[in-house]
Amino acid sequence: MRIWVKRAPILACVTVACSVAVVGCSAGAADDGTAAGAARQFAAAMGRQDAGGAAKYTTAPGQAGEALTQTLQSMNAQSVQVSVEKPVEYSDGTASFSLKTTYKWPKNRTFETTTSGTARHLTTGWKITWDPAIIYPDLPPGGAIREIRTDATPSPTVRSRTGKTFMYLQPVNDIILDPTQTKDVNSSVRALARTLKPIAPLITSQVLSEKLAESQGKPITAVTLRDPDMEVLTSNPGAVPGVTVRKAGMLVMADRRLSSPLEDGLTNYWQAIRDATAGWQVQVTAPGIKPRKLAGEQGPPGPSVNTTVDQNLQLTLGDAAVEVAQPATLLALDATSGAVLGMAQNDAARSRGINVDDVYPVGSTLNPVMAAVEQTANANQEVSGDILDRLGLGVQFTVPGASAPTANQPGVATVDFQPNQTTASMMNMGALGVAMARSTAGQMTSVAPYVINGVPTTVSGGKLGELDAATTAPILKAMATTAKSGDASDLTRAPGLKALVGTNGPQGPGWFIGLQGGKVLVVYCEGEKSGTAALQVAQKYFTIR
C-alpha cells in the first residue's frame, strides 16, 4: 500500500510578553483541524501550565492529566515555553511532530528538552497519542521530571566564641496529626499522647486538643523529635490514625541542655547562608527507580557562623531564668565590646514571646538616667534625644543573629526608645549598660551590641557616639548607690556591682541592669512582684556563675 506524506502548515510565531508563561507559536494556537493544530493547542495549554487543558487534546485525557499535573507541579517553573516543530501528517491518518519545551526559573535557571510525539485522526478530530515520553524522552509510565533545591555539604555550623559547635544541622522527625485523616480525632489524640509519653510527657491529650482547637481543623505538629528520641519510643507514632512522621532537617543545639531566644535569630542568619549557596537540580523520577540528575548546578558550601556566645555562660543564664515562676528573660553582654554572650528565658517568658527587639515599659528603672540626661541637655543647650541616642537608648538596633522576623512583620523587627512613653528593649538596656561600663574604663564612646563576629549591627533612628562624663558620672554614682545601699544592696557574691533596678508598678514589669565582672547583665521579668523576681534571678546568676 502506498502511503503519502503531507507537511502540516507551520504558522509564524509571535512572542507574547504580557504573561509569565510565554508559549511558543502562540499565534498559531487555534485548532485548524490539522494534526499540527492539535499539537499547537496542546503546546499552548502546557505553556499556560494547564495540565487538564493539554490532556484533553490527547487520546487518554485521564492518564495524561495526571502525569502532566505531576510534572508541572514538580517543576514549579516560573514560565514554560513550548513550541511545535516538524509536524508531518501521513495518509493513514497518523502524524508525527516534535515538542521543544523550555522551563524557566529565577536567577536565569533553564532546562530544555526536545521530545517526539505522534497523533491520530479520530472521529473527534486529531488527538495526540498519549505517551509519557512526550514529557521527557523514554519516560516510563508513572514517571515525571522535577526541579528540586540542593544544598552544599557539609552544611555550615553555628559556633560559640571558643570555636566549639553551638548549633548544627541534624535530621529530625516532625510528628504531624491531621484531624481530617482520622475517623475518631479524640481517640487519635489519646493514642498519640500515650505514644509520645516516654520522651515528651508534657505533650498530653489536653495539649494536643488545645493545639487542634487553635488550628481550626488544620494539621498540627505535635512535637519535633531527633532520631535518638525516636528510638526511646515504644511504639510507632505513624501507626496512630491521622498521624504521619515527616523527616526534615533542623538547626539544633549541640548541647541539649541549652536553649536560647537567640536560636531564632541565629537560625534566620544561618538559613540566609544556606539560601545564598543553594543549588538546583532537575531530575527524572519513576516508581522503583532512583532519581536521575538531568541538569543543575551546585556551588561550594557557605562559611560557618562564628558567634560571641559563651556556652558555659549560656547554661548559667538558663539555670537562673528558671529561679522564678514569673516570665523571666536574661541577656548578658561583654562590658567592653558589647558582644552578646548569651540570652535565656523560662517557659513563661517564652510563651509570652518576650524577645530582644520588642519594647517594654521601664517604669522607674531609668530615673537616674533621665535626670542626668536632662541636666546635661540644659547645661549644654543640647537636645535630650541626641544624648539618649549616644547612650544606646534612643536608637534602633537590628542585630544579625539576635533579631529575627516576626509573625506580624516579614523583616527584622527593630525598636525605639521614646521618653514620653518610657519604653525600651532589652537590647537598648544592654547597650546602655555597655556604655556605662566603657565609661568607667575611660572609653568614652558607645558601641552597638552584636552576636556574629564580623557582621555589624545596623543602627538607625539616631547615632551612637561620644559619651560625656557629665552624663555618665551621675548615672554611675546612682548605680553604685543602688548596689551598696539601695534596692540591689541585698545581692551577694557580686563584688563591685553597679546596678539600675526598677518596676512599672505592682504588676511590673521589673528590670535589673547590672555591671559586674566585665559583663553587663540585663534581667527583665513580668507579672506580680516582678521587681523582686528580677532581683531573685540576678542573685541566682551571681551565685552559680
Side-chain angles (χ1 to χ4, degrees), residues 8 35-36 38-40 42-43 57-58 82-90 94-100 114-120 126-129 134:
R40 285 193 293 268
F42 177 89
Y57 287 95
T58 71
V82 187
S83 60
V84 179
E85 299 181 346
K86 302 177 181 178
V88 179
E89 289 185 10
Y90 303 98
T94 63
S96 63
F97 61 90
S98 296
L99 288 180
K100 181 179 179 181
T114 299
T115 57
S116 299
T118 61
R120 288 188 292 166
W126 283 97
K127 299 292 181 182
I128 295 172
T129 306
I134 204 168

PDB file of all heavy atoms in Angstrom, residues 8 35-36 38-40 42-43 57-58 82-90 94-100 114-120 126-129 134:
ATOM      1  N   ALA A   8       2.465  19.465   7.449  1.00  0.00           N
ATOM      2  CA  ALA A   8       1.470  20.329   8.078  1.00  0.00           C
ATOM      3  C   ALA A   8       1.931  21.768   7.992  1.00  0.00           C
ATOM      4  O   ALA A   8       3.119  22.066   8.042  1.00  0.00           O
ATOM      5  CB  ALA A   8       1.273  19.935   9.529  1.00  0.00           C
ATOM      6  N   ALA A  35      -3.336  18.031  12.308  1.00  0.00           N
ATOM      7  CA  ALA A  35      -2.546  17.449  13.396  1.00  0.00           C
ATOM      8  C   ALA A  35      -1.681  18.520  14.060  1.00  0.00           C
ATOM      9  O   ALA A  35      -1.529  18.552  15.283  1.00  0.00           O
ATOM     10  CB  ALA A  35      -1.675  16.321  12.870  1.00  0.00           C
ATOM     11  N   ALA A  36      -1.130  19.421  13.222  1.00  0.00           N
ATOM     12  CA  ALA A  36      -0.308  20.500  13.774  1.00  0.00           C
ATOM     13  C   ALA A  36      -1.139  21.406  14.670  1.00  0.00           C
ATOM     14  O   ALA A  36      -0.666  21.885  15.704  1.00  0.00           O
ATOM     15  CB  ALA A  36       0.325  21.305  12.647  1.00  0.00           C
ATOM     16  N   ALA A  38      -3.756  20.546  16.510  1.00  0.00           N
ATOM     17  CA  ALA A  38      -3.964  19.874  17.790  1.00  0.00           C
ATOM     18  C   ALA A  38      -2.702  19.934  18.644  1.00  0.00           C
ATOM     19  O   ALA A  38      -2.763  20.145  19.867  1.00  0.00           O
ATOM     20  CB  ALA A  38      -4.369  18.427  17.561  1.00  0.00           C
ATOM     21  N   ALA A  39      -1.545  19.750  18.009  1.00  0.00           N
ATOM     22  CA  ALA A  39      -0.285  19.816  18.744  1.00  0.00           C
ATOM     23  C   ALA A  39      -0.058  21.217  19.288  1.00  0.00           C
ATOM     24  O   ALA A  39       0.436  21.390  20.414  1.00  0.00           O
ATOM     25  CB  ALA A  39       0.870  19.391  17.831  1.00  0.00           C
ATOM     26  N   ARG A  40      -0.437  22.228  18.498  1.00  0.00           N
ATOM     27  CA  ARG A  40      -0.258  23.605  18.978  1.00  0.00           C
ATOM     28  C   ARG A  40      -1.197  23.900  20.152  1.00  0.00           C
ATOM     29  O   ARG A  40      -0.841  24.620  21.087  1.00  0.00           O
ATOM     30  CB  ARG A  40      -0.481  24.589  17.828  1.00  0.00           C
ATOM     31  CG  ARG A  40       0.662  24.644  16.824  1.00  0.00           C
ATOM     32  CD  ARG A  40       0.529  25.839  15.903  1.00  0.00           C
ATOM     33  NE  ARG A  40      -0.633  25.715  15.027  1.00  0.00           N
ATOM     34  CZ  ARG A  40      -0.611  25.180  13.815  1.00  0.00           C
ATOM     35  NH1 ARG A  40       0.532  24.684  13.342  1.00  0.00           N
ATOM     36  NH2 ARG A  40      -1.698  25.124  13.073  1.00  0.00           N
ATOM     37  N   PHE A  42      -2.168  21.716  22.341  1.00  0.00           N
ATOM     38  CA  PHE A  42      -1.522  21.036  23.463  1.00  0.00           C
ATOM     39  C   PHE A  42      -0.380  21.899  24.003  1.00  0.00           C
ATOM     40  O   PHE A  42      -0.242  22.095  25.222  1.00  0.00           O
ATOM     41  CB  PHE A  42      -0.996  19.676  23.001  1.00  0.00           C
ATOM     42  CG  PHE A  42      -0.244  18.900  24.048  1.00  0.00           C
ATOM     43  CD1 PHE A  42      -0.907  18.038  24.911  1.00  0.00           C
ATOM     44  CD2 PHE A  42       1.146  19.034  24.177  1.00  0.00           C
ATOM     45  CE1 PHE A  42      -0.209  17.320  25.877  1.00  0.00           C
ATOM     46  CE2 PHE A  42       1.840  18.323  25.143  1.00  0.00           C
ATOM     47  CZ  PHE A  42       1.162  17.468  25.990  1.00  0.00           C
ATOM     48  N   ALA A  43       0.435  22.415  23.092  1.00  0.00           N
ATOM     49  CA  ALA A  43       1.580  23.239  23.488  1.00  0.00           C
ATOM     50  C   ALA A  43       1.132  24.511  24.193  1.00  0.00           C
ATOM     51  O   ALA A  43       1.735  24.945  25.172  1.00  0.00           O
ATOM     52  CB  ALA A  43       2.429  23.569  22.265  1.00  0.00           C
ATOM     53  N   TYR A  57      -6.453  17.153  24.648  1.00  0.00           N
ATOM     54  CA  TYR A  57      -6.039  17.006  23.254  1.00  0.00           C
ATOM     55  C   TYR A  57      -5.255  15.710  23.048  1.00  0.00           C
ATOM     56  O   TYR A  57      -4.593  15.538  22.029  1.00  0.00           O
ATOM     57  CB  TYR A  57      -5.197  18.206  22.815  1.00  0.00           C
ATOM     58  CG  TYR A  57      -6.031  19.449  22.623  1.00  0.00           C
ATOM     59  CD1 TYR A  57      -6.156  20.370  23.648  1.00  0.00           C
ATOM     60  CD2 TYR A  57      -6.741  19.664  21.445  1.00  0.00           C
ATOM     61  CE1 TYR A  57      -6.945  21.493  23.501  1.00  0.00           C
ATOM     62  CE2 TYR A  57      -7.537  20.783  21.285  1.00  0.00           C
ATOM     63  CZ  TYR A  57      -7.647  21.693  22.316  1.00  0.00           C
ATOM     64  OH  TYR A  57      -8.442  22.801  22.166  1.00  0.00           O
ATOM     65  N   THR A  58      -5.336  14.798  24.029  1.00  0.00           N
ATOM     66  CA  THR A  58      -4.652  13.511  23.907  1.00  0.00           C
ATOM     67  C   THR A  58      -5.667  12.385  23.813  1.00  0.00           C
ATOM     68  O   THR A  58      -6.863  12.572  24.050  1.00  0.00           O
ATOM     69  CB  THR A  58      -3.739  13.258  25.125  1.00  0.00           C
ATOM     70  OG1 THR A  58      -4.557  13.005  26.268  1.00  0.00           O
ATOM     71  CG2 THR A  58      -2.827  14.442  25.395  1.00  0.00           C
ATOM     72  N   VAL A  82       6.643  26.299  25.100  1.00  0.00           N
ATOM     73  CA  VAL A  82       6.503  25.068  24.320  1.00  0.00           C
ATOM     74  C   VAL A  82       6.256  25.431  22.863  1.00  0.00           C
ATOM     75  O   VAL A  82       5.353  26.232  22.568  1.00  0.00           O
ATOM     76  CB  VAL A  82       5.342  24.199  24.840  1.00  0.00           C
ATOM     77  CG1 VAL A  82       5.329  22.853  24.126  1.00  0.00           C
ATOM     78  CG2 VAL A  82       5.446  23.987  26.348  1.00  0.00           C
ATOM     79  N   SER A  83       7.027  24.863  21.969  1.00  0.00           N
ATOM     80  CA  SER A  83       6.835  25.107  20.538  1.00  0.00           C
ATOM     81  C   SER A  83       6.752  23.783  19.791  1.00  0.00           C
ATOM     82  O   SER A  83       7.365  22.784  20.187  1.00  0.00           O
ATOM     83  CB  SER A  83       7.987  25.949  19.966  1.00  0.00           C
ATOM     84  OG  SER A  83       9.224  25.287  20.138  1.00  0.00           O
ATOM     85  N   VAL A  84       5.955  23.763  18.732  1.00  0.00           N
ATOM     86  CA  VAL A  84       5.768  22.574  17.899  1.00  0.00           C
ATOM     87  C   VAL A  84       6.709  22.670  16.706  1.00  0.00           C
ATOM     88  O   VAL A  84       6.756  23.691  16.022  1.00  0.00           O
ATOM     89  CB  VAL A  84       4.310  22.471  17.415  1.00  0.00           C
ATOM     90  CG1 VAL A  84       4.132  21.243  16.531  1.00  0.00           C
ATOM     91  CG2 VAL A  84       3.366  22.450  18.606  1.00  0.00           C
ATOM     92  N   GLU A  85       7.452  21.600  16.456  1.00  0.00           N
ATOM     93  CA  GLU A  85       8.411  21.603  15.360  1.00  0.00           C
ATOM     94  C   GLU A  85       8.194  20.377  14.469  1.00  0.00           C
ATOM     95  O   GLU A  85       7.797  19.313  14.944  1.00  0.00           O
ATOM     96  CB  GLU A  85       9.846  21.595  15.911  1.00  0.00           C
ATOM     97  CG  GLU A  85      10.168  22.826  16.761  1.00  0.00           C
ATOM     98  CD  GLU A  85      11.598  22.814  17.291  1.00  0.00           C
ATOM     99  OE1 GLU A  85      12.235  21.737  17.212  1.00  0.00           O
ATOM    100  OE2 GLU A  85      12.055  23.859  17.772  1.00  0.00           O
ATOM    101  N   LYS A  86       8.414  20.545  13.188  1.00  0.00           N
ATOM    102  CA  LYS A  86       8.396  19.475  12.189  1.00  0.00           C
ATOM    103  C   LYS A  86       7.122  18.618  12.235  1.00  0.00           C
ATOM    104  O   LYS A  86       7.189  17.376  12.279  1.00  0.00           O
ATOM    105  CB  LYS A  86       9.621  18.574  12.331  1.00  0.00           C
ATOM    106  CG  LYS A  86      10.948  19.296  12.211  1.00  0.00           C
ATOM    107  CD  LYS A  86      12.120  18.360  12.438  1.00  0.00           C
ATOM    108  CE  LYS A  86      13.445  19.090  12.346  1.00  0.00           C
ATOM    109  NZ  LYS A  86      14.597  18.190  12.606  1.00  0.00           N
ATOM    110  N   PRO A  87       5.939  19.251  12.209  1.00  0.00           N
ATOM    111  CA  PRO A  87       4.724  18.422  12.166  1.00  0.00           C
ATOM    112  C   PRO A  87       4.539  17.817  10.765  1.00  0.00           C
ATOM    113  O   PRO A  87       4.691  18.503   9.757  1.00  0.00           O
ATOM    114  CB  PRO A  87       3.618  19.424  12.500  1.00  0.00           C
ATOM    115  CG  PRO A  87       4.161  20.757  12.062  1.00  0.00           C
ATOM    116  CD  PRO A  87       5.635  20.707  12.247  1.00  0.00           C
ATOM    117  N   VAL A  88       4.226  16.520  10.723  1.00  0.00           N
ATOM    118  CA  VAL A  88       4.043  15.818   9.445  1.00  0.00           C
ATOM    119  C   VAL A  88       2.802  14.931   9.544  1.00  0.00           C
ATOM    120  O   VAL A  88       2.656  14.160  10.496  1.00  0.00           O
ATOM    121  CB  VAL A  88       5.271  14.946   9.094  1.00  0.00           C
ATOM    122  CG1 VAL A  88       5.042  14.222   7.770  1.00  0.00           C
ATOM    123  CG2 VAL A  88       6.541  15.796   9.040  1.00  0.00           C
ATOM    124  N   GLU A  89       1.866  15.050   8.560  1.00  0.00           N
ATOM    125  CA  GLU A  89       0.688  14.174   8.505  1.00  0.00           C
ATOM    126  C   GLU A  89       0.925  13.077   7.459  1.00  0.00           C
ATOM    127  O   GLU A  89       1.518  13.321   6.410  1.00  0.00           O
ATOM    128  CB  GLU A  89      -0.559  14.975   8.135  1.00  0.00           C
ATOM    129  CG  GLU A  89      -1.036  15.908   9.233  1.00  0.00           C
ATOM    130  CD  GLU A  89      -2.349  16.599   8.858  1.00  0.00           C
ATOM    131  OE1 GLU A  89      -2.965  16.197   7.840  1.00  0.00           O
ATOM    132  OE2 GLU A  89      -2.736  17.549   9.576  1.00  0.00           O
ATOM    133  N   TYR A  90       0.414  11.862   7.753  1.00  0.00           N
ATOM    134  CA  TYR A  90       0.557  10.739   6.840  1.00  0.00           C
ATOM    135  C   TYR A  90      -0.828  10.327   6.339  1.00  0.00           C
ATOM    136  O   TYR A  90      -1.858  10.590   6.971  1.00  0.00           O
ATOM    137  CB  TYR A  90       1.242   9.559   7.548  1.00  0.00           C
ATOM    138  CG  TYR A  90       2.598   9.920   8.114  1.00  0.00           C
ATOM    139  CD1 TYR A  90       2.729  10.255   9.460  1.00  0.00           C
ATOM    140  CD2 TYR A  90       3.714   9.952   7.294  1.00  0.00           C
ATOM    141  CE1 TYR A  90       3.970  10.594   9.996  1.00  0.00           C
ATOM    142  CE2 TYR A  90       4.952  10.295   7.813  1.00  0.00           C
ATOM    143  CZ  TYR A  90       5.081  10.613   9.159  1.00  0.00           C
ATOM    144  OH  TYR A  90       6.306  10.962   9.673  1.00  0.00           O
ATOM    145  N   THR A  94      -2.335   9.217  10.566  1.00  0.00           N
ATOM    146  CA  THR A  94      -1.430   9.445  11.686  1.00  0.00           C
ATOM    147  C   THR A  94      -0.550  10.654  11.370  1.00  0.00           C
ATOM    148  O   THR A  94      -0.522  11.145  10.240  1.00  0.00           O
ATOM    149  CB  THR A  94      -0.541   8.219  11.963  1.00  0.00           C
ATOM    150  OG1 THR A  94       0.293   7.975  10.821  1.00  0.00           O
ATOM    151  CG2 THR A  94      -1.400   6.994  12.256  1.00  0.00           C
ATOM    152  N   ALA A  95       0.154  11.094  12.376  1.00  0.00           N
ATOM    153  CA  ALA A  95       1.041  12.245  12.187  1.00  0.00           C
ATOM    154  C   ALA A  95       2.177  12.157  13.199  1.00  0.00           C
ATOM    155  O   ALA A  95       2.109  11.428  14.197  1.00  0.00           O
ATOM    156  CB  ALA A  95       0.273  13.552  12.375  1.00  0.00           C
ATOM    157  N   SER A  96       3.223  12.904  12.965  1.00  0.00           N
ATOM    158  CA  SER A  96       4.352  12.975  13.895  1.00  0.00           C
ATOM    159  C   SER A  96       4.760  14.438  14.063  1.00  0.00           C
ATOM    160  O   SER A  96       4.494  15.277  13.195  1.00  0.00           O
ATOM    161  CB  SER A  96       5.539  12.148  13.394  1.00  0.00           C
ATOM    162  OG  SER A  96       6.028  12.673  12.168  1.00  0.00           O
ATOM    163  N   PHE A  97       5.399  14.722  15.143  1.00  0.00           N
ATOM    164  CA  PHE A  97       5.845  16.093  15.414  1.00  0.00           C
ATOM    165  C   PHE A  97       6.878  16.040  16.538  1.00  0.00           C
ATOM    166  O   PHE A  97       7.063  15.015  17.207  1.00  0.00           O
ATOM    167  CB  PHE A  97       4.672  16.993  15.807  1.00  0.00           C
ATOM    168  CG  PHE A  97       3.959  16.533  17.054  1.00  0.00           C
ATOM    169  CD1 PHE A  97       4.342  16.963  18.316  1.00  0.00           C
ATOM    170  CD2 PHE A  97       2.905  15.619  16.957  1.00  0.00           C
ATOM    171  CE1 PHE A  97       3.688  16.517  19.450  1.00  0.00           C
ATOM    172  CE2 PHE A  97       2.252  15.167  18.091  1.00  0.00           C
ATOM    173  CZ  PHE A  97       2.649  15.609  19.353  1.00  0.00           C
ATOM    174  N   SER A  98       7.519  17.164  16.786  1.00  0.00           N
ATOM    175  CA  SER A  98       8.440  17.315  17.914  1.00  0.00           C
ATOM    176  C   SER A  98       7.988  18.486  18.782  1.00  0.00           C
ATOM    177  O   SER A  98       7.392  19.451  18.269  1.00  0.00           O
ATOM    178  CB  SER A  98       9.877  17.553  17.433  1.00  0.00           C
ATOM    179  OG  SER A  98      10.370  16.436  16.727  1.00  0.00           O
ATOM    180  N   LEU A  99       8.261  18.380  20.077  1.00  0.00           N
ATOM    181  CA  LEU A  99       7.973  19.481  21.001  1.00  0.00           C
ATOM    182  C   LEU A  99       9.280  19.946  21.638  1.00  0.00           C
ATOM    183  O   LEU A  99      10.054  19.132  22.156  1.00  0.00           O
ATOM    184  CB  LEU A  99       7.016  19.046  22.111  1.00  0.00           C
ATOM    185  CG  LEU A  99       5.553  18.795  21.745  1.00  0.00           C
ATOM    186  CD1 LEU A  99       4.790  18.371  22.991  1.00  0.00           C
ATOM    187  CD2 LEU A  99       4.920  20.053  21.147  1.00  0.00           C
ATOM    188  N   LYS A 100       9.509  21.234  21.584  1.00  0.00           N
ATOM    189  CA  LYS A 100      10.647  21.820  22.274  1.00  0.00           C
ATOM    190  C   LYS A 100      10.101  22.560  23.498  1.00  0.00           C
ATOM    191  O   LYS A 100       9.354  23.527  23.369  1.00  0.00           O
ATOM    192  CB  LYS A 100      11.408  22.775  21.364  1.00  0.00           C
ATOM    193  CG  LYS A 100      12.623  23.406  22.024  1.00  0.00           C
ATOM    194  CD  LYS A 100      13.341  24.338  21.044  1.00  0.00           C
ATOM    195  CE  LYS A 100      14.542  24.992  21.691  1.00  0.00           C
ATOM    196  NZ  LYS A 100      15.237  25.922  20.748  1.00  0.00           N
ATOM    197  N   THR A 114      13.706  18.256  24.199  1.00  0.00           N
ATOM    198  CA  THR A 114      13.024  18.045  22.921  1.00  0.00           C
ATOM    199  C   THR A 114      12.489  16.616  22.889  1.00  0.00           C
ATOM    200  O   THR A 114      13.245  15.658  23.110  1.00  0.00           O
ATOM    201  CB  THR A 114      13.973  18.273  21.733  1.00  0.00           C
ATOM    202  OG1 THR A 114      14.444  19.623  21.760  1.00  0.00           O
ATOM    203  CG2 THR A 114      13.247  18.022  20.413  1.00  0.00           C
ATOM    204  N   THR A 115      11.209  16.485  22.633  1.00  0.00           N
ATOM    205  CA  THR A 115      10.568  15.165  22.618  1.00  0.00           C
ATOM    206  C   THR A 115       9.838  14.963  21.298  1.00  0.00           C
ATOM    207  O   THR A 115       9.509  15.925  20.595  1.00  0.00           O
ATOM    208  CB  THR A 115       9.574  15.036  23.785  1.00  0.00           C
ATOM    209  OG1 THR A 115       8.605  16.091  23.702  1.00  0.00           O
ATOM    210  CG2 THR A 115      10.289  15.123  25.123  1.00  0.00           C
ATOM    211  N   SER A 116       9.570  13.711  21.004  1.00  0.00           N
ATOM    212  CA  SER A 116       8.843  13.361  19.789  1.00  0.00           C
ATOM    213  C   SER A 116       7.478  12.804  20.157  1.00  0.00           C
ATOM    214  O   SER A 116       7.321  12.119  21.176  1.00  0.00           O
ATOM    215  CB  SER A 116       9.618  12.314  18.974  1.00  0.00           C
ATOM    216  OG  SER A 116      10.877  12.817  18.588  1.00  0.00           O
ATOM    217  N   GLY A 117       6.486  13.115  19.337  1.00  0.00           N
ATOM    218  CA  GLY A 117       5.151  12.619  19.584  1.00  0.00           C
ATOM    219  C   GLY A 117       4.456  12.233  18.297  1.00  0.00           C
ATOM    220  O   GLY A 117       4.895  12.573  17.196  1.00  0.00           O
ATOM    221  N   THR A 118       3.353  11.502  18.454  1.00  0.00           N
ATOM    222  CA  THR A 118       2.532  11.129  17.297  1.00  0.00           C
ATOM    223  C   THR A 118       1.094  11.525  17.574  1.00  0.00           C
ATOM    224  O   THR A 118       0.700  11.778  18.719  1.00  0.00           O
ATOM    225  CB  THR A 118       2.605   9.611  17.036  1.00  0.00           C
ATOM    226  OG1 THR A 118       2.099   8.912  18.167  1.00  0.00           O
ATOM    227  CG2 THR A 118       4.042   9.171  16.766  1.00  0.00           C
ATOM    228  N   ALA A 119       0.312  11.554  16.498  1.00  0.00           N
ATOM    229  CA  ALA A 119      -1.108  11.882  16.625  1.00  0.00           C
ATOM    230  C   ALA A 119      -1.919  10.968  15.722  1.00  0.00           C
ATOM    231  O   ALA A 119      -1.393  10.393  14.757  1.00  0.00           O
ATOM    232  CB  ALA A 119      -1.341  13.349  16.261  1.00  0.00           C
ATOM    233  N   ARG A 120      -3.213  10.828  16.034  1.00  0.00           N
ATOM    234  CA  ARG A 120      -4.120  10.022  15.223  1.00  0.00           C
ATOM    235  C   ARG A 120      -5.377  10.832  14.928  1.00  0.00           C
ATOM    236  O   ARG A 120      -5.829  11.633  15.762  1.00  0.00           O
ATOM    237  CB  ARG A 120      -4.508   8.740  15.955  1.00  0.00           C
ATOM    238  CG  ARG A 120      -3.398   7.722  16.045  1.00  0.00           C
ATOM    239  CD  ARG A 120      -3.918   6.409  16.608  1.00  0.00           C
ATOM    240  NE  ARG A 120      -4.301   6.540  18.025  1.00  0.00           N
ATOM    241  CZ  ARG A 120      -5.025   5.646  18.673  1.00  0.00           C
ATOM    242  NH1 ARG A 120      -5.468   4.562  18.021  1.00  0.00           N
ATOM    243  NH2 ARG A 120      -5.312   5.820  19.945  1.00  0.00           N
ATOM    244  N   TRP A 126      -8.200  15.333  15.408  1.00  0.00           N
ATOM    245  CA  TRP A 126      -6.833  14.910  15.671  1.00  0.00           C
ATOM    246  C   TRP A 126      -6.563  14.914  17.178  1.00  0.00           C
ATOM    247  O   TRP A 126      -6.878  15.862  17.889  1.00  0.00           O
ATOM    248  CB  TRP A 126      -5.827  15.835  14.989  1.00  0.00           C
ATOM    249  CG  TRP A 126      -5.705  15.588  13.518  1.00  0.00           C
ATOM    250  CD1 TRP A 126      -6.320  16.254  12.507  1.00  0.00           C
ATOM    251  CD2 TRP A 126      -4.901  14.579  12.902  1.00  0.00           C
ATOM    252  NE1 TRP A 126      -5.983  15.740  11.294  1.00  0.00           N
ATOM    253  CE2 TRP A 126      -5.090  14.708  11.503  1.00  0.00           C
ATOM    254  CE3 TRP A 126      -4.053  13.588  13.365  1.00  0.00           C
ATOM    255  CZ2 TRP A 126      -4.449  13.877  10.587  1.00  0.00           C
ATOM    256  CZ3 TRP A 126      -3.411  12.771  12.450  1.00  0.00           C
ATOM    257  CH2 TRP A 126      -3.606  12.908  11.082  1.00  0.00           C
ATOM    258  N   LYS A 127      -5.956  13.824  17.662  1.00  0.00           N
ATOM    259  CA  LYS A 127      -5.589  13.700  19.067  1.00  0.00           C
ATOM    260  C   LYS A 127      -4.140  13.200  19.165  1.00  0.00           C
ATOM    261  O   LYS A 127      -3.715  12.341  18.395  1.00  0.00           O
ATOM    262  CB  LYS A 127      -6.496  12.709  19.807  1.00  0.00           C
ATOM    263  CG  LYS A 127      -7.973  13.090  19.819  1.00  0.00           C
ATOM    264  CD  LYS A 127      -8.235  14.341  20.660  1.00  0.00           C
ATOM    265  CE  LYS A 127      -9.713  14.687  20.690  1.00  0.00           C
ATOM    266  NZ  LYS A 127      -9.967  15.934  21.470  1.00  0.00           N
ATOM    267  N   ILE A 128      -3.439  13.754  20.113  1.00  0.00           N
ATOM    268  CA  ILE A 128      -2.066  13.321  20.362  1.00  0.00           C
ATOM    269  C   ILE A 128      -2.086  11.964  21.064  1.00  0.00           C
ATOM    270  O   ILE A 128      -2.797  11.777  22.050  1.00  0.00           O
ATOM    271  CB  ILE A 128      -1.322  14.359  21.232  1.00  0.00           C
ATOM    272  CG1 ILE A 128      -1.175  15.681  20.462  1.00  0.00           C
ATOM    273  CG2 ILE A 128       0.038  13.842  21.681  1.00  0.00           C
ATOM    274  CD1 ILE A 128      -0.633  16.814  21.277  1.00  0.00           C
ATOM    275  N   THR A 129      -1.356  11.028  20.513  1.00  0.00           N
ATOM    276  CA  THR A 129      -1.276   9.711  21.135  1.00  0.00           C
ATOM    277  C   THR A 129      -0.538   9.828  22.461  1.00  0.00           C
ATOM    278  O   THR A 129       0.639  10.211  22.495  1.00  0.00           O
ATOM    279  CB  THR A 129      -0.530   8.729  20.221  1.00  0.00           C
ATOM    280  OG1 THR A 129      -1.151   8.715  18.925  1.00  0.00           O
ATOM    281  CG2 THR A 129      -0.540   7.326  20.805  1.00  0.00           C
ATOM    282  N   ILE A 134       6.364  12.014  25.874  1.00  0.00           N
ATOM    283  CA  ILE A 134       6.155  13.357  25.337  1.00  0.00           C
ATOM    284  C   ILE A 134       6.609  14.408  26.353  1.00  0.00           C
ATOM    285  O   ILE A 134       6.847  15.562  26.015  1.00  0.00           O
ATOM    286  CB  ILE A 134       4.679  13.568  24.938  1.00  0.00           C
ATOM    287  CG1 ILE A 134       4.582  14.678  23.883  1.00  0.00           C
ATOM    288  CG2 ILE A 134       3.806  13.907  26.152  1.00  0.00           C
ATOM    289  CD1 ILE A 134       3.237  14.763  23.226  1.00  0.00           C
TER     290      ILE A 134
END
